[in-house]
Amino acid sequence: MVADVSAANSIGILNTNRRAYYIALPKPPKFRINHISREAVSQPFHFPFSLMAIAPPSLRPLHKSLFPKYPSFSHDSPFRPSLLFSSKPFRLTVRASSAVALEQDLRTQGTQQNQTVETELFSCPVCYEPLIRKGPPGLNLDAIYRSGFKCKKCNKSFSSKDVFLDLTVTAGLRNYTEVKPVRTELFRSPLVSFLYERGWRQNFNLSGFPRADEEFRMAQEYFKPAEGGTLVDVSCGSGLFSRKFAKSGTYSGVIALDFSENMLRQCNDFIKQDASLLASNIALVRADVSRLPFSSGSIDAVHAGAALHCWPSPSNAIAEISRILRSGGVFVGSTFLRYTSSTPWIIRPFRERVMQSYNYLTEEEIEEVCTNSGLTNFSKKVQRSFIMFSAQKP
């Protein structure tokens, strides 16, 4: 059997051990291939290396030719399968390819070489432009810690040198100090951060809050439309629910977000005690709930457990949550109510006076703020002073 391979005004490409060698063919030679066995005929053409015809003559060889400067092949010269380039035989495949395939291959190689520089989920809290990330990919503690982030628009850099990524507007400032309301500064205290899961939050049961496992189950019911997406646990505290969301395996990534540095450090300490969490897709981010560092319409689910009453401006925070939610995204929150529809009217003024230090809202106020921020499908579950509510981005 004889097989003829012709290449006129073209460039040959040798593909050995995943390296490309381009060979200029000065004349349109014609090769005759003899001595092909029956076994070779029954299978695709296999020879010691890959030979492909590339059409555009304008391409230049990237490497020197493997053949002499003036090769001469007679029509009767056998190109035998026993030709070797190493101590062990390897195969030659004769197939056609286009310049488009070559271009795609080179583009893929370039992407692989630059995989440490990519556009990340996070955005600049100043201009909301996506951040450029340099470092190992992945949404986990180790990858975030070893990465650097920079805004491609305002050129502001953000550090992950601590156990969390600081994406606040004031990140990196040395001389400026901003003091938040007392209720916000309270949770930045190392003592309160340490006690939060060691007795502090357990007292919420006295006001009607269910136990943490039951509250988590209720939230998961609301989050069913967002399964498989990215969840942000805003005002996560020491990460009580962030860790539960991450361990559930329901979401592609969980971002534990809080303004308190000490709360995030406590969250990190809890994560390090659980090997399964260290391997999960969970990241710790410091950010302001009224200036969330995510692009508009980029997040699938937002959770805020026992947090709304601590925010300086619940309306601004819910507007930000609505901004970052994608269409169909879900917001679930729980908080203390100022009073409920069943609270006797004679007690209501007293509760309003006592609770002035926090932004305790009513059921109607929470629904109105969510609706005013563009959220729909509001639903709620109320038990004494506890409310869990859900709203969705249309």
Side-chain angles (χ1 to χ4, degrees):
M1 176 180 177
V2 177
D4 293 328
V5 180
S6 63
N9 296 325
S10 63
I11 293 177
I13 179 170
L14 288 176
N15 190 352
T16 65
N17 295 331
R18 299 181 180 177
R19 295 185 59 187
Y21 300 88
Y22 298 86
I23 307 165
L25 303 180
K27 295 181 180 181
K30 190 171 184 180
F31 307 101
R32 169 172 292 177
I33 303 176
N34 298 319
H35 307 289
I36 299 179
S37 65
R38 291 183 179 180
E39 181 181 358
V41 173
S42 63
Q43 300 178 357
F45 255 6
H46 294 298
F47 296 95
F49 53 87
S50 297
L51 176 62
M52 298 183 291
I54 309 298
S58 60
L59 294 176
R60 293 293 183 267
L62 299 181
H63 301 277
K64 294 183 178 180
S65 172
L66 296 180
F67 296 109
K69 185 175 181 180
Y70 299 102
S72 58
F73 297 104
S74 66
H75 295 294
D76 297 326
S77 297
F79 198 84
R80 299 179 181 276
S82 60
L83 179 63
L84 301 178
F85 286 87
S86 65
S87 60
K88 294 182 180 181
F90 48 94
R91 302 185 300 176
L92 164 68
T93 303
V94 179
R95 57 190 178 94
S97 179
S98 65
V100 175
L102 173 62
E103 182 180 355
Q104 292 175 344
D105 184 62
L106 292 176
R107 187 185 300 116
T108 302
Q109 292 177 4
T111 303
Q112 293 174 348
Q113 293 174 357
N114 297 294
Q115 64 180 346
T116 57
V117 180
E118 59 183 24
T119 301
E120 184 60 20
L121 169 70
F122 306 114
S123 292
C124 174
V126 177
C127 56
Y128 292 138
E129 286 292 323
L131 297 179
I132 299 300
R133 173 178 176 177
K134 187 173 184 180
L139 192 68
N140 56 74
L141 297 185
D142 183 62
I144 296 296
Y145 177 79
R146 294 164 55 196
S147 297
F149 298 83
K150 190 173 185 178
C151 178
K152 62 182 179 181
K153 184 175 182 180
C154 67
N155 211 34
K156 182 176 175 61
S157 297
F158 298 91
S159 171
S160 55
K161 63 182 179 181
D162 211 328
V163 297
F164 53 84
L165 173 62
D166 193 342
L167 293 180
T168 58
V169 174
T170 57
L173 298 184
R174 297 181 179 179
N175 300 319
Y176 177 79
T177 302
E178 188 170 78
V179 179
K180 294 289 185 179
V182 175
R183 57 182 174 271
T184 302
E185 292 298 319
L186 176 66
F187 291 97
R188 298 179 69 183
S189 162
L191 178 61
V192 174
S193 300
F194 178 81
L195 294 175
Y196 188 74
E197 287 190 43
R198 299 175 174 91
W200 183 291
R201 203 182 192 282
Q202 285 79 349
N203 288 325
F204 292 2
N205 297 340
L206 301 176
S207 299
F209 271 70
R211 295 189 180 277
D213 289 340
E214 176 61 18
E215 188 175 341
F216 170 70
R217 186 197 64 77
M218 294 168 62
Q220 285 287 74
E221 287 293 319
Y222 281 127
F223 278 136
K224 281 188 176 180
E227 290 181 355
T230 302
L231 181 144
V232 178
D233 189 15
V234 298
S235 297
C236 66
S238 55
L240 174 63
F241 291 100
S242 303
R243 304 195 304 273
K244 291 181 180 293
F245 288 129
K247 290 193 70 171
S248 71
T250 309
Y251 310 97
S252 59
V254 174
I255 299 172
L257 183 148
D258 203 284
F259 188 75
S260 170
E261 305 92 326
N262 286 303
M263 283 292 191
L264 293 171
R265 292 188 182 103
Q266 284 294 318
C267 183
N268 182 69
D269 290 342
F270 284 122
I271 290 175
K272 289 191 298 185
Q273 297 172 16
D274 191 328
S276 62
L277 278 172
L278 281 173
S280 65
N281 290 332
I282 185 172
L284 305 184
V285 175
R286 181 175 183 247
D288 191 335
V289 70
S290 64
R291 198 80 181 175
L292 293 172
F294 306 101
S295 300
S296 299
S298 61
I299 302 300
D300 301 277
V302 176
H303 176 261
L308 186 146
H309 57 278
C310 296
W311 296 342
S313 175
S315 59
N316 285 345
I318 294 177
E320 266 292 272
I321 290 171
S322 177
R323 179 187 65 81
I324 68 171
L325 281 175
R326 65 164 176 81
S327 178
V330 181
F331 170 42
V332 175
S334 63
T335 186
F336 295 93
L337 292 172
R338 187 161 72 246
Y339 52 78
T340 67
S341 56
S342 61
T343 303
W345 65 269
I346 196 170
I347 299 178
R348 293 184 184 186
F350 172 76
R351 290 181 64 88
E352 288 183 350
R353 183 181 296 272
V354 170
M355 298 181 174
Q356 282 180 348
S357 58
Y358 287 90
N359 283 319
Y360 293 111
L361 305 179
T362 64
E363 305 169 41
E364 295 77 15
E365 287 174 327
I366 295 173
E367 181 175 2
E368 186 176 31
V369 171
C370 288
T371 303
N372 188 62
S373 298
L375 301 176
T376 60
N377 298 333
F378 184 87
S379 61
K380 62 187 177 182
K381 295 178 181 178
V382 178
Q383 180 176 308
R384 288 183 283 175
S385 296
F386 162 81
I387 181 174
M388 176 174 282
F389 62 91
S390 171
Q392 194 168 23
K393 185 72 172 288

